[in-house]
Amino acid sequence: MNAREQADAHVRAMMRWHFGPATGSRYWLERRNRLGFDPVEDVRGVDDLLMFPNLVDELRDVPVEDLIPRGLDPDEKVFAVYESGGTSGAPKRFVMFENWFDQYMAWENAHYPDDGQGHTLAVAPSGPHMLGEYSRRIARARGGIRFAIDLDPRWVKRLIAAGDTAGAAAYVGHLVEQAELVLRSQNIAFLITTPPLLARMAEHAGVRALIQEKVRLVIWTGAHMDPDTQDYLAAEFFPKAQFRGSYGSTSVLSGTVQRADPDGTGDTVFDSYAPFVIYRVVDPSTGLPVEEGAQGAVVMNYLTPYGLVPNSLERDLATRVLGPEGVGDSLRSVHPVAEVDGRKMIEGVY
């Protein structure tokens, strides 16, 4: 079978698993009869995932026990419960298993084998967000120690929503000051942070000089960065460091790997961990895929034995790039929507 045929077979296997009485979770077994179609009989491949309604908002209130598939081995333990950012209402919750996290990180690290060894500084949120544990595993894979400065992105968004820009700026300044203390005293080779925080560090002369001196790789994630901003930061402030982006979502319990745009735009393209995580770029008015090279809404699918989150509509727009080997879509020029249901979206610093 080619990659697309294997992906379609994986989709069918996951439908049998998650909707089988002996293997599925309570949530999906109870939800099956209200879908309006039979997922086992009707969902035959990747394209048919678009049949699912966007049910992710229901995960704001579902008890996490109801999301655990019955067919998992008893030795499979819940590692953590991660939450969405809560930008558009109460957070949604997703169950992370240790073996899935290990599998995903092995895939990501295999795409970046030449980073070398060294310590990592993460200026990023910890729980209930996935990024804290992600940074710990990044450090471990690179043979170093993780140093962490904790960020509460929801507090920053609340300050911005209330018009307290001075308070938000003061909080970010507090984070940058803490980062300086670590950078000054430790041999930091890798920096994990968000684009807004990186921009603030670039403005701080002391922190900027320390990053220029020590950091070999900047991994940015959690918020969006356009190519012009990245080029500016890289060329004007941190010319010795490599830059790497990771776009992802808590709803699919994973991020991406980046590659150069095959069309030669100089932009970054993000590939998902297919067939376990499949992206689509769709017309938000119809839910159908847009043409290659067109902009649309990002839809994500999480399809593993550990959980099912199909057809989850993200708060982002992107340009459609064909996925590797024709499985799903990859993303270019990712940026947040301006409004959801008439409510202005606040990206803040994460």
Side-chain angles (χ1 to χ4, degrees), residues 195-228:
L197 287 174
L198 182 63
R200 184 66 178 269
M201 292 181 201
E203 296 171 356
H204 189 293
V207 177
R208 181 174 68 246
L210 290 166
I211 294 174
Q212 290 170 342
E213 174 189 351
K214 298 183 175 184
V215 173
R216 302 198 308 267
L217 172 65
V218 174
I219 300 176
W220 59 268
T221 186
H224 300 80
M225 182 155 59
D226 62 80
D228 289 341

Side-chain angles (χ1 to χ4, degrees), residues 145-214:
I145 297 169
R146 182 197 65 163
F147 297 83
I149 306 299
D150 194 25
L151 158 68
D152 183 354
R154 294 176 185 171
W155 182 245
V156 177
K157 290 179 182 179
R158 175 172 289 192
L159 293 173
I160 295 172
D164 188 0
T165 55
Y171 181 74
V172 171
H174 172 62
L175 298 173
V176 173
E177 289 171 2
Q178 294 177 76
E180 181 178 16
L181 296 176
V182 177
L183 286 163
R184 193 171 298 284
S185 61
Q186 307 299 324
N187 295 318
I188 301 298
F190 309 110
L191 173 64
I192 301 176
T193 192
T194 70
L197 287 174
L198 182 63
R200 184 66 178 269
M201 292 181 201
E203 296 171 356
H204 189 293
V207 177
R208 181 174 68 246
L210 290 166
I211 294 174
Q212 290 170 342
E213 174 189 351
K214 298 183 175 184

